[in-house]
Amino acid sequence: MHRSEGKQRPRPLGEDHGPVRYGPPAPDPGLPVLPELAGVLAASAARPRPEPPGGGTILRQAACAYWERRSLHGGPEDVAAAPGAQPLLLALIAAYGGDVLMPRPCPATWMPQARLLGRPAYHVPTPAECGGIPDPYALLETVRRVRAEGGRPRLLLISVADDPTATLAPPELVREVCEAAVSEGLHIVSDETWRDTLHRPHDTVLLSPAEMCPDDVTVLTDLAGALTPSAWPVAVARFPATGRAAARRARVLDILTALGALVAEPVASAAAHALGEPAAVTERIRQAAHLQAHVASAAHRAVLTVGALARPPQAGRHLYADLGPLRPRLAARGVTDSMELEDYLTKRLGTPAPGGHRFGDELGALRVRIGTGPLLGSTPEQQTESLTAVEPLELPHVARALSIFAAALDELR
């Protein structure tokens, strides 16, 4: 199936439907700020200066130590930080040049970056097993056809632990994709924002592309995935330890400087503390993963019960549902594409439910990303109770939220 899809004429992003005027928010964690991190931020609040472009030494050293514990070696001279993943990815795309390839679907922030730079960019179908990475055969065929039409494919964006699909790419498939990309001269940007949010970390294996192809992969991590609140924007990138990568990093710093994309010093202090993974941070990560394993699985069951489709969520705080089997009932409610589905479910659920068109899927496909954060409670007290419960699904506020969610879907049967 994927080989035939790969033989279609590659089309730059934006030909499928009109531009999306604003992006959806990232999935809400639905959890209060960790008090220890709030204390570190408050202690630094009086510091008036931002970090230098690319982040200060302490923040970059903390990022190095974080990656070292994950078998990714390097020094602070190989790291750059920015106030969030969007400006950092924009700088990376601009610094590496050429056409951009990415899986379909992909994180909602990726397409706008390429469009903003006027960069030709192409979607590649994903394998049946997972999202976040392209099918390796389709990748090779797309690269060759883009070149045959005069394009210059240079950069591949992937996310092994994926937004929007909440899946985890198997190591053997990641290896095949990386080998295919490197054989065609592509540099890989691996977005590993969700690597610390695995629902069952002892039962799954996440292998970073940088472990397989250390000279050809830049790792990007938005700390809001697992370590810091989304209101404190900070992201870090780890470059290969090569001369060519050093030149690219210097270019990234130039771009961040031109954008004024500097990390606030109090945020940098909190981020460095979180990257050090003290006991309170690691315990929060463990508790959040345990909670999401239960709640996301319950939401997934509710989706399947009404006849819709979704891969089992393995990471993050969301799932990606295909309501195509419910098309007749949705059409009766005036819902015929993913934009209308987004409006309908957002109103019905009372929380953002971005449609698949945000993530590069066809407008006519009835797909939607559903966040699980709103199911954890509406007050900090309820959210904390959810976080510390052995059986969170038995809590009244969680059970009630899941019941409302299931009822909204059940109306479509």
Side-chain angles (χ1 to χ4, degrees):
M1 179 180 75
H2 298 297
R3 294 193 185 199
S4 64
E5 289 176 356
K7 290 179 181 178
Q8 296 174 2
R9 172 184 172 266
R11 292 182 297 170
L13 304 186
E15 291 187 8
D16 295 331
H17 46 75
V20 178
R21 297 193 55 153
Y22 58 91
D28 182 4
L31 297 172
V33 175
L34 186 64
E36 183 171 308
L37 286 185
V40 174
L41 185 82
S44 305
R47 298 179 185 174
R49 297 180 180 275
E51 295 273 287
T57 301
I58 293 175
L59 176 56
R60 289 184 288 111
Q61 287 176 337
C64 287
Y66 166 87
W67 277 312
E68 187 78 26
R69 292 189 293 273
R70 289 154 178 80
S71 301
L72 299 179
H73 312 295
E77 68 279 2
D78 302 320
V79 175
Q86 289 91 332
L88 190 50
L89 179 61
L90 182 76
L92 285 169
I93 295 174
Y96 277 94
D99 300 353
V100 184
L101 290 89
M102 59 188 74
R104 181 196 296 273
C106 65
T109 57
W110 289 4
M111 292 184 290
Q113 310 297 344
R115 287 172 176 164
L116 186 61
L117 292 167
R119 191 65 53 79
Y122 302 87
H123 277 305
V124 186
T126 56
E129 296 91 329
C130 62
I133 62 172
D135 178 272
Y137 294 104
L139 174 64
L140 290 172
E141 293 177 359
T142 301
V143 168
R144 290 164 186 168
R145 288 178 177 275
V146 169
R147 285 189 178 136
E149 295 183 5
R152 297 186 307 119
R154 295 281 300 279
L155 200 61
L156 172 65
L157 310 183
I158 62 175
S159 55
V160 176
D162 185 42
D163 172 17
T165 65
T167 58
L168 183 67
E172 60 273 14
L173 268 176
V174 176
R175 184 176 297 279
E176 289 181 23
V177 168
C178 290
E179 289 175 351
V182 171
S183 72
E184 293 295 332
L186 302 180
H187 187 79
I188 300 167
V189 173
S190 175
D191 186 337
E192 300 183 6
T193 293
W194 303 102
R195 71 167 297 155
D196 294 321
T197 68
L198 303 187
H199 296 175
R200 294 174 175 81
H202 299 298
D203 299 335
T204 51
V205 177
L206 186 150
L207 193 61
S208 171
E211 296 180 66
M212 305 176 186
C213 306
D215 292 345
D216 299 287
V217 177
T218 297
V219 176
L220 171 66
T221 299
D222 187 340
L223 271 60
L227 295 170
T228 61
S230 57
W232 306 351
V234 59
V236 288
R238 173 194 174 275
F239 293 79
T242 66
R244 176 176 293 183
R248 300 298 186 191
R249 177 182 178 273
R251 177 62 178 151
V252 165
L253 297 189
D254 287 342
I255 296 167
L256 293 175
T257 302
L259 294 173
L262 309 178
V263 181
E265 199 165 312
V267 172
S269 296
H273 185 81
L275 285 164
E277 297 180 292
V281 171
T282 55
E283 178 62 10
R284 168 58 70 88
I285 291 173
R286 185 197 67 78
Q287 290 177 326
H290 173 267
L291 176 58
Q292 287 295 342
H294 285 76
V295 176
S297 292
H300 180 247
R301 288 192 296 271
V303 169
L304 298 185
T305 296
V306 301
L309 306 173
R311 294 186 180 105
Q314 297 174 283
R317 36 188 182 255
H318 54 280
L319 66 154
Y320 198 57
D322 183 352
L323 274 60
L326 308 179
R327 186 177 293 276
R329 295 297 299 271
L330 284 166
R333 289 164 170 77
V335 177
T336 60
D337 61 32
S338 61
M339 292 181 71
E340 293 168 347
L341 179 62
E342 174 182 302
D343 291 341
Y344 176 82
L345 283 181
T346 295
K347 292 175 183 176
R348 185 65 184 81
L349 299 174
T351 187
H357 60 287
R358 307 272 190 183
F359 309 101
D361 260 331
E362 299 285 348
L363 181 62
L366 294 174
R367 299 190 182 111
V368 62
R369 187 186 70 188
I370 299 170
T372 53
L375 302 174
L376 308 183
S378 58
T379 67
E381 292 76 20
Q382 288 182 343
Q383 294 164 353
T384 299
E385 188 179 10
S386 299
L387 189 66
T388 56
V390 176
E391 297 294 340
L393 300 186
E394 296 179 1
L395 296 174
H397 62 270
V398 174
R400 183 168 55 253
L402 282 167
S403 177
I404 293 171
F405 172 74
L409 296 177
D410 196 57
E411 293 176 355
L412 302 176
R413 281 208 281 183

